[in-house]
Amino acid sequence: MAKKLQAVRGMRDILPDQTPLWQFVENTARRVFQSYAYREIRTPVLEMTELFKRSIGEVTDIVEKEMYTFEDRNGDSLTLRPEGTAGCVRACMENGLLHNQVQRLWYQGAMFRHERPQKGRYRQFKQMGLEAYGMAGPDIDLEVILVTARLWQALGIPGLELQINTLGTLEERKAYRARLVEYLQAHRNQLDEDSLRRLESNPLRVLDSKNPQLAELIAGAPSLMDDLGETSRAHFEVITSGLEAAGVDYVLNTRLVRGLDYYSRTVFEWVTDLLGAQGTVCAGGRYDGLVEQLGGKPVPAIGFGMGVDRVVAVLEALDSARREGDPHAYMVLVGENVQSPGLVLAERLRNALPGLRLQVNCGGGSFKSQFKKADKSGARLALILGEDELNNRQAGVKWLREQREQISLGHDELADFLKNMIGD
């Protein structure tokens, strides 16, 4: 007996009853990004493996354990993208979008990591992100964070906490790293296996440990703030004062870090307590050194990535039932000679109202069975077209979700009526 075919472990189907909530998130994010004049860029799912080794780092968990990497028929090592920033930078460099230019870009697409599947963490996940190039000042950092704050407002998600920190410059971070390593070495016997490994390869990441047994040790570690110069402090002050002026609450988290040298200054995350361990729904920061690390001339840059799966999960946890994909109306066709004229009438209505979602009953069925389908579709009303209505150039209008009286309208009146209904 043939093995039953099913989805790859850690990957999942998003079914029709679920997709309206996804579309709501995606469409809302697109509108918010565009309202700040960011333009969409689309990059391949597959990239040369070397891109991620040079951007993420060869001694990171992502590169060492989590990437889907293989050799193609030409012997080239290719990788399914585990994140979106590296591909965006590569595309901008390759296509000459960075030299003496300012770019505001956004992207969306599937990402892949071979992690242990759990709630909020999948091996294929969707990410939407935003990247800004060519601007070194704190004003663009503030704008990027304000974009995310407006996005949560547009999505109707309350209660997300903005955590923010500054990493200073590379030189300031090197001075801090020396003090941190000295502190951690003095408490080496308290570190877990993962932190011991990070101590050798990437000591700042020890501060990012989720091990509750290390919480007290991490809380007592030296603060990077003590190594910041005047310029870095002033940069950060513009951002925090701007957030306060805009009415965006934030928490200063001095343990919020990025382990790679190309990161600098501003880092931030939006977190929730609704998803358990996978509480970060959006993370971003300034990465002024990445373009140069990938072989280009230095270009200031900042951006963020948002896990769409997690944002959808937050909305589900908030019981935000959104059915943006449901039809506005369902057309019931009763009688042998009504099907084709009904389809033609539906086309006329769609021509008049490009935003109309109209589902026409196909496949026949009794009056009663068609009304069951209409109700199940989620439509607000049913348009009833029988032979009598057809001969009189009329259609019955029956509300399915509200207690209103059924009426009859002429075919020429339907478009205006539906236009007003959509606008309710």
Side-chain angles (χ1 to χ4, degrees), residues 100-366:
N100 291 331
Q101 297 180 65
V102 167
Q103 298 289 351
R104 284 178 165 92
L105 306 173
W106 69 272
Y107 66 83
Q108 63 176 329
M111 312 293 163
F112 303 84
R113 295 188 189 181
H114 194 277
E115 299 181 285
R116 182 170 64 86
Q118 55 184 285
K119 181 181 179 181
R121 178 184 287 176
Y122 302 96
R123 290 179 175 176
Q124 176 178 326
F125 56 97
K126 180 161 187 178
Q127 192 174 84
M128 298 185 79
L130 181 152
E131 315 288 355
Y133 301 105
M135 293 165 278
D139 49 356
I140 189 64
D141 302 26
L142 176 60
E143 177 182 275
V144 167
I145 299 173
L146 291 176
V147 170
T148 58
R150 184 169 297 277
L151 177 57
W152 313 139
Q153 184 181 40
L155 290 171
I157 300 179
L160 292 185
E161 180 181 83
L162 171 61
Q163 298 184 359
I164 187 170
N165 192 24
T166 177
L167 302 179
T169 64
L170 179 58
E171 292 73 22
E172 292 162 349
R173 211 154 54 252
K174 284 180 178 178
Y176 171 67
R177 174 182 169 132
R179 292 198 304 123
L180 178 63
V181 169
E182 182 180 359
Y183 171 82
L184 294 174
Q185 289 286 10
H187 298 83
R188 188 181 183 92
N189 62 329
Q190 299 179 44
L191 299 178
D192 59 15
E193 183 179 344
D194 189 47
S195 294
L196 286 170
R197 182 176 60 83
R198 288 177 171 179
L199 177 58
E200 302 302 326
S201 62
N202 207 336
L204 265 68
R205 291 299 308 280
V206 176
L207 301 177
D208 208 23
S209 173
K210 302 300 187 289
N211 185 344
Q213 296 180 341
L214 296 180
E216 186 176 346
L217 176 67
I218 292 172
S223 172
L224 176 56
M225 288 288 179
D226 296 335
D227 292 282
L228 296 182
E230 185 177 335
T231 302
S232 291
R233 289 178 183 274
H235 186 105
F236 194 54
E237 170 63 24
V238 171
I239 298 164
T240 55
S241 61
L243 290 172
E244 292 165 7
V248 177
D249 295 332
Y250 66 90
V251 173
L252 176 61
N253 180 0
T254 59
R255 305 310 179 200
L256 182 59
V257 297
R258 301 286 186 265
L260 302 175
D261 286 344
Y262 60 74
Y263 284 104
S264 62
R265 294 197 166 131
T266 313
V267 290
F268 66 92
E269 292 184 358
W270 288 90
V271 299
T272 178
D273 58 5
L274 296 174
L275 302 180
Q278 309 306 318
T280 301
V281 297
C282 175
R286 180 167 279 282
Y287 53 96
D288 290 348
L290 181 55
V291 175
E292 185 176 17
Q293 185 165 312
L294 293 179
K297 294 182 179 179
V299 175
I302 184 172
F304 68 80
M306 174 186 78
V308 178
D309 302 67
R310 294 186 185 178
V311 174
V312 169
V314 169
L315 287 169
E316 290 173 340
L318 294 170
D319 196 26
S320 299
R322 300 180 187 275
R323 301 180 65 91
E324 270 71 12
D326 288 346
H328 294 114
Y330 188 101
M331 186 175 286
V332 173
L333 302 176
V334 185
E336 295 182 2
N337 300 318
V338 175
Q339 193 73 38
S340 292
L343 290 168
V344 171
L345 175 60
E347 289 303 298
R348 286 176 51 201
L349 292 173
R350 293 188 184 104
N351 289 340
L353 298 171
L356 176 66
R357 297 190 297 273
L358 173 61
Q359 183 174 339
V360 178
N361 185 83
C362 292
S366 67

Side-chain angles (χ1 to χ4, degrees), residues 18-37:
Q18 300 168 304
T19 53
L21 194 54
W22 285 73
Q23 292 167 349
F24 168 69
V25 173
E26 293 158 356
N27 293 337
T28 302
R30 181 182 299 109
R31 287 196 300 270
V32 170
F33 296 163
Q34 290 174 344
S35 74
Y36 287 80

Side-chain angles (χ1 to χ4, degrees), residues 204 245 388 392 422:
L204 265 68
D388 288 344
N392 294 322
I422 292 173

